[in-house]
Amino acid sequence: MPNNQFKKGELYSFITGKASTAIGRRLQKNFKQAGVEITIEQWSVLYHLWKVDGMSQQQLCDATFRDKPSITRLVDNLEKLKLVKRNASKEDRRKNLIVLTPEGKELEEHCMEIANNTLNEALQGVTNGQVEIAKEVLQMVYDNLK
Amino acid sequence: MPNNQFKKGELYSFITGKASTAIGRRLQKNFKQAGVEITIEQWSVLYHLWKVDGMSQQQLCDATFRDKPSITRLVDNLEKLKLVKRNASKEDRRKNLIVLTPEGKELEEHCMEIANNTLNEALQGVTNGQVEIAKEVLQMVYDNLK
DNA sequence: GGCATATAGTTGTTTATGCAACTAAACAAA
DNA sequence: TTTGTTTAGTTGCATAAACAACTATATGCC
């Protein structure tokens, strides 16, 4: 950006993330309507475990961009829901490996379908090219600041 | 979107808003370093009051995309900080008009400078064209779902 | 081996969010 | 005027976020 002045409208929306708030809220609503009783934050943890089961909490922090206390509490609640278990690591006694239960595994297909449909809803009328560019911008922002 | 399938990576980032989380976190850090003792959520309310002083709480809900209880509590805390006051509306006794105090007004310039610099930081290496397209996509997403 | 530093996870605290439920005021229809 | 419906704001509740501080474990250096 050669010129360092933004119109105020851009400033606000970029900072507050209204679009992702709207997606998150819609996804939560769609989960609820479909009888899926997890929060979107819990989903965001399960999402990574479905891809790689048995991650450490620190790995979940990195993957979900949250801090350690937040992950501790999210995992607490997922344990309560019997969707995950903490297994002490054999190689490093500080580490817990978070593993999916059978119920946790079972949720994947249904949740991912709902999430997929929600994103389709959100991106109605947006072209593939626009999505690609938006992705690039958001990735650059994230890389600039993480 | 003719084809309703996304790669999983896109799915996750769009839904969770990692980029705006990163911006928000950086802005909070920059406020703190500059000795500005407000949260970014409080800033988002002040932002609208700096543009239009004396808004009702419902108007702030619409402007900031939050629900009524959230605004009630944000305004509570801003009152505690003596940055705003609630004035009962003369035309409609249900309504509070939220007005800036002199201290609240005084914060504008410094806060907006910090916010501006933070967004510049975030958008390093992004072209004007890319920003424009990203904005359009995010606006469409928001309009599709709000 | 001992000590300094780094790391994983937990606890405390404060702020925030959004759904549900409620009260009071305003508006619309009969 | 009365009644039914809508609207503005508040309270309750559960979940979440992140900073600070802490404990226990692991790593690196002398």
Side-chain angles (χ1 to χ4, degrees):
Chain A
M1 291 298 286
N3 178 355
N4 289 346
Q5 279 306 320
F6 296 102
K7 282 170 290 189
K8 287 197 174 181
E10 318 180 311
L11 186 59
Y12 186 80
S13 292
F14 260 94
I15 292 177
T16 56
K18 282 167 72 175
S20 59
T21 300
I23 299 180
R25 216 178 277 176
R26 180 59 59 91
L27 180 57
Q28 190 63 80
K29 179 180 159 192
N30 291 345
F31 275 162
K32 185 161 188 171
Q33 283 183 347
V36 175
E37 302 285 351
I38 62 170
T39 65
I40 54 171
E41 292 88 9
Q42 291 164 358
W43 171 81
S44 77
V45 170
L46 291 171
Y47 173 89
H48 290 285
L49 292 173
W50 289 325
K51 294 199 300 180
V52 184
D53 202 9
M55 288 170 106
S56 71
Q57 283 171 234
Q58 181 58 64
Q59 284 172 319
L60 284 171
C61 291
D62 297 335
T64 64
F65 198 46
R66 289 186 179 90
D67 72 357
K68 289 188 283 191
S70 302
I71 290 295
T72 294
R73 287 161 183 142
L74 272 175
V75 171
D76 287 347
N77 281 337
L78 285 169
E79 270 200 311
K80 274 189 217 151
L81 291 172
K82 300 195 192 311
L83 298 177
V84 306
K85 283 171 46 84
R86 280 178 168 94
N87 284 346
S89 165
K90 291 181 177 66
E91 324 168 325
D92 185 337
R93 294 186 34 212
R94 300 171 303 179
K95 287 186 182 178
N96 295 324
L97 303 180
I98 311 302
V99 295
L100 292 160
T101 62
E103 298 98 300
K105 284 175 184 155
E106 229 178 81
L107 268 183
E108 179 177 0
E109 210 171 311
H110 195 197
C111 286
M112 294 310 294
E113 184 185 16
I114 295 165
N116 216 18
N117 291 340
T118 302
L119 196 55
N120 285 339
E121 210 178 343
L123 292 173
Q124 276 274 14
V126 182
T127 68
N128 280 331
Q130 286 176 310
V131 173
E132 278 310 303
I133 293 173
K135 272 173 53 196
E136 277 170 23
V137 172
L138 296 177
Q139 187 63 44
M140 279 164 112
V141 166
Y142 178 71
D143 292 339
N144 284 337
L145 298 182
K146 67 175 179 189
Chain B
M1 293 297 289
N3 179 354
N4 289 347
Q5 279 307 319
F6 296 101
K7 282 169 288 187
K8 288 196 172 183
E10 320 180 310
L11 187 60
Y12 185 79
S13 291
F14 259 96
I15 292 177
T16 56
K18 281 166 72 173
S20 60
T21 300
I23 299 181
R25 214 178 281 176
R26 180 60 60 92
L27 180 56
Q28 190 64 81
K29 179 181 159 192
N30 291 344
F31 275 163
K32 185 162 190 170
Q33 283 183 347
V36 175
E37 303 284 351
I38 62 171
T39 65
I40 54 171
E41 292 87 12
Q42 292 163 359
W43 170 80
S44 79
V45 171
L46 292 171
Y47 173 89
H48 289 285
L49 293 173
W50 289 325
K51 294 200 301 182
V52 184
D53 202 10
M55 287 170 107
S56 70
Q57 283 173 233
Q58 181 57 65
Q59 284 172 319
L60 284 171
C61 291
D62 296 336
T64 64
F65 198 46
R66 289 186 177 90
D67 72 357
K68 288 187 287 190
S70 303
I71 290 294
T72 295
R73 285 149 189 156
L74 272 175
V75 170
D76 287 346
N77 282 337
L78 285 169
E79 270 199 312
K80 274 189 216 152
L81 291 172
K82 300 192 192 310
L83 298 178
V84 305
K85 285 172 45 91
R86 281 178 169 91
N87 286 345
S89 166
K90 293 182 176 63
E91 322 165 331
D92 184 339
R93 294 187 31 212
R94 299 170 306 177
K95 287 186 182 179
N96 295 323
L97 304 179
I98 311 301
V99 296
L100 292 160
T101 62
E103 298 98 300
K105 284 176 186 156
E106 231 180 76
L107 269 182
E108 179 177 0
E109 211 172 311
H110 196 197
C111 285
M112 294 310 294
E113 184 185 15
I114 295 166
N116 217 18
N117 292 341
T118 301
L119 196 54
N120 285 339
E121 210 178 341
L123 292 173
Q124 276 275 14
V126 182
T127 67
N128 280 330
Q130 286 177 309
V131 172
E132 278 309 303
I133 293 173
K135 272 173 54 198
E136 279 170 23
V137 172
L138 296 176
Q139 187 63 43
M140 280 167 108
V141 167
Y142 179 71
D143 292 339
N144 284 337
L145 298 181
K146 67 173 180 198

